[in-house]
Amino acid sequence: MSRSPSSSIEPVLVPQGGRAMCATLWGAVLGQPDLSDAALSAVLAWARWRHLASGDVVFACQQPAEQLFAVLEGCVGLGTLREGQAFHLERSVHGPGWLDLSSAWVGQGHVQDAQAMGSALVLELPLAALRPLFLRYPELQERLLLALAQTVQKLTGATHDLMAKDAQKRLVGWLLQRMSAPAGDVALRERKRELAAQLAITPETLSRLLRQLMASGLIEVQGYSIKLLNLNALRALA
Amino acid sequence: MSRSPSSSIEPVLVPQGGRAMCATLWGAVLGQPDLSDAALSAVLAWARWRHLASGDVVFACQQPAEQLFAVLEGCVGLGTLREGQAFHLERSVHGPGWLDLSSAWVGQGHVQDAQAMGSALVLELPLAALRPLFLRYPELQERLLLALAQTVQKLTGATHDLMAKDAQKRLVGWLLQRMSAPAGDVALRERKRELAAQLAITPETLSRLLRQLMASGLIEVQGYSIKLLNLNALRALA
DNA sequence: CGAACCCTTGATACGCTTCAACAAGAGTGG
DNA sequence: CCACTCTTGTTGAAGCGTATCAAGGGTTCG
């Protein structure tokens, strides 16, 4: 049986080129077009990167937030860490991408816990050190604004989905969004329980929904790879 | 029977002092401490304000977004406008406060519809005109960053509530947050259907929940004013 | 081999929505 | 002034969607 998700749980590639490679990844976080080398290296001078093993805590709820967090590589989950029980996942960030841009600005501590799902490379950026740079490199601040705005849009979409769509519509929407070529193949990069968590349903319900869609001939499920057979019908569902 | 919400539906106070009064409200949107007069008036030079009657559309979904929107006075609802049916409310913004900061930055059109709930005074700020100002007044950009970050935190909280709490917990949480003095009085400023929409439940369910809490002796409901009788028990519920 | 994990399947329970009916103002026009 | 309608909130009965609990199969690994 195919086990695609495990590949993202393998030992992370340690950046061989050191700073060079990190800079490349880091550029991906800040978006296109690439920032000037001067701005990039000025920011990198203050950056600190941490290598995390599976399960490591990146930051904890209510802990004072003074840094911007980005995931360079691997995957980090946002949610609630409950002692004695499993981590309750709410959202996950795959590198490269921002993990938490907002908490440091508000300055009132983190609102969620963050835990590495598998090995990950995380970058921390002290906001206090960054502020002076904004005057010299205004593009930098604009990138952060854009990233925050995108986060707002994504969250708005998420709340809308939760309020207006049922589980099936959310699942189909997720599949369509993640579909690669027009062919319509989806290779799951995560465990099904994590997918379920992102859709705010239980693993049991996810299993039933997939079976149901398969019975309707709309998709074909084989382990961690899903084929979308009838795109039009799926779009009509979502 | 007390009808508090209607007061927010009365004809809005037209700013008598014109620009002066608008500037004061506008300052409230940008937060404390007040920006320099120079920065404020530079921004205001580009601002356009619109007086809206109840039901007027501020912007529509997918419509290209090139401006920042703020509510100076009154209340504007965000949600989905469906032809033939009633507006589906998801979130509402009471002035003074930002209505939509994110869409213009992303530059891909609005994600929701916005409709005035009662008379309102809305301010539009073309992003293109604003950009040059950022170089001269970096504080301005920082205010926007902060506002965006706060929006992210609020939305994160909202999605968390939707995913983890049932309707009763959301309602009790809402009541506690909106409670004024330690006394524990809540005067509803909105119709109960709008409150229900914000909590992502139906009006029927809201009615039943209020009755249920009243039967438990935790609250006392009289029309649009609610007394919280047992704060500790309520906090334990949420 | 046994242990641990992930996914699946079934039975049941609960929360919330939907639909329908009704009461209580508020506004309107005869 | 009263009948009429419109809106808002309330209540009840029925039904859907999803969670919960329990059990079993497949895979991986020591």
Side-chain angles (χ1 to χ4, degrees):
Chain A
M1 185 144 291
S2 58
R3 299 192 308 94
S4 163
S6 66
S7 66
S8 76
I9 301 181
E10 300 291 292
V12 79
L13 294 174
V14 179
Q16 301 290 350
R19 294 177 60 110
M21 180 158 182
C22 277
T24 308
L25 291 168
W26 177 232
V29 171
L30 280 170
Q32 295 302 325
D34 278 349
L35 281 178
S36 67
D37 284 346
L40 256 183
S41 56
V43 172
L44 274 177
W46 294 101
R48 204 187 105 199
W49 39 81
R50 284 166 60 190
H51 247 113
L52 299 167
S54 183
D56 284 357
V57 172
V58 182
F59 53 76
C61 194
Q62 296 187 326
Q63 172 184 319
E66 285 148 4
Q67 295 163 328
L68 310 182
F69 290 85
V71 181
L72 294 188
E73 219 173 271
C75 174
V76 175
L78 286 163
T80 315
L81 207 48
R82 303 160 305 179
E83 38 194 333
Q85 295 177 55
F87 181 67
H88 182 117
L89 183 65
E90 277 184 7
R91 216 155 58 83
S92 69
V93 177
H94 289 264
W98 288 107
L99 177 62
D100 183 357
L101 265 175
S102 63
S103 299
W105 287 100
V106 176
Q108 299 218 332
H110 289 282
V111 188
Q112 294 177 300
D113 298 306
Q115 189 186 41
M117 326 272 304
S119 308
L121 182 58
V122 166
L123 190 135
E124 297 180 8
L125 219 47
L127 181 56
L130 225 54
R131 261 181 232 269
L133 293 183
F134 292 147
L135 293 177
R136 247 194 306 163
Y137 306 106
E139 329 89 83
L140 184 57
Q141 204 166 5
E142 185 145 341
R143 297 298 170 99
L144 296 183
L145 260 164
L146 179 58
L148 266 172
Q150 284 168 337
T151 307
V152 169
Q153 303 252 314
K154 216 181 291 178
L155 284 173
T156 302
T159 50
H160 172 81
D161 286 359
L162 283 175
M163 295 190 359
K165 296 183 182 175
D166 63 6
Q168 191 184 51
K169 283 178 186 164
R170 293 203 299 275
L171 169 58
V172 172
W174 188 92
L175 286 173
L176 287 172
Q177 225 182 5
R178 180 168 257 281
M179 174 186 63
S180 54
D185 257 351
V186 176
L188 297 186
R189 299 182 308 189
E190 56 259 300
R191 302 246 97 106
K192 285 187 181 169
R193 24 165 45 103
E194 288 159 27
L195 170 55
Q198 280 183 52
L199 296 172
I201 57 180
T202 58
E204 292 96 325
T205 302
L206 174 60
S207 178
R208 280 185 258 265
L209 286 175
L210 286 174
R211 162 157 296 279
Q212 191 177 322
L213 288 172
M214 206 160 54
S216 324
L218 298 179
I219 65 173
E220 199 180 298
V221 182
Q222 278 196 2
Y224 286 102
S225 86
I226 302 177
K227 269 200 184 71
L228 311 190
L229 300 178
N230 188 338
L231 291 182
N232 289 331
L234 287 173
R235 289 208 186 88
L237 267 184
Chain B
M1 185 142 293
S2 58
R3 299 189 308 97
S4 164
S6 65
S7 67
S8 77
I9 300 181
E10 299 290 294
V12 79
L13 294 175
V14 179
Q16 302 290 348
R19 294 176 61 108
M21 182 159 181
C22 277
T24 308
L25 290 167
W26 177 232
V29 172
L30 280 170
Q32 296 300 325
D34 278 349
L35 282 178
S36 67
D37 284 346
L40 255 183
S41 55
V43 172
L44 273 177
W46 294 101
R48 205 188 105 196
W49 39 82
R50 284 166 59 190
H51 247 110
L52 298 168
S54 183
D56 284 357
V57 172
V58 183
F59 53 75
C61 195
Q62 296 187 327
Q63 173 183 317
E66 285 148 4
Q67 295 163 326
L68 310 182
F69 290 85
V71 182
L72 294 188
E73 219 173 271
C75 174
V76 175
L78 287 163
T80 315
L81 207 48
R82 304 160 304 178
E83 38 193 333
Q85 293 177 56
F87 182 66
H88 182 123
L89 183 66
E90 277 184 8
R91 214 154 59 83
S92 68
V93 177
H94 288 264
W98 287 107
L99 177 63
D100 184 355
L101 265 176
S102 63
S103 299
W105 288 101
V106 176
Q108 299 219 329
H110 289 283
V111 188
Q112 293 176 302
D113 298 306
Q115 189 186 40
M117 325 274 302
S119 308
L121 182 58
V122 165
L123 192 134
E124 298 180 9
L125 220 48
L127 181 56
L130 226 54
R131 261 180 232 269
L133 293 183
F134 292 148
L135 294 176
R136 249 195 302 165
Y137 307 105
E139 329 91 82
L140 184 57
Q141 205 167 6
E142 184 145 343
R143 297 298 170 97
L144 296 184
L145 259 164
L146 178 59
L148 267 172
Q150 284 168 338
T151 306
V152 169
Q153 303 251 313
K154 214 181 291 178
L155 284 172
T156 303
T159 49
H160 172 80
D161 287 359
L162 282 175
M163 293 186 7
K165 296 183 182 175
D166 63 6
Q168 191 183 50
K169 282 179 187 163
R170 293 203 299 275
L171 170 58
V172 172
W174 188 91
L175 286 173
L176 288 172
Q177 225 182 3
R178 179 167 257 284
M179 175 185 64
S180 54
D185 256 353
V186 176
L188 297 186
R189 298 183 308 187
E190 56 258 301
R191 304 246 96 110
K192 285 186 182 169
R193 16 167 53 103
E194 288 159 27
L195 170 54
Q198 279 182 54
L199 296 171
I201 58 180
T202 58
E204 293 96 324
T205 303
L206 174 60
S207 178
R208 282 185 257 266
L209 286 176
L210 285 174
R211 162 159 295 280
Q212 192 177 322
L213 289 173
M214 208 161 53
S216 323
L218 297 180
I219 65 174
E220 199 180 298
V221 182
Q222 279 195 359
Y224 287 103
S225 86
I226 302 176
K227 269 202 184 71
L228 310 189
L229 300 177
N230 188 337
L231 291 182
N232 289 333
L234 287 172
R235 289 207 186 88
L237 267 184

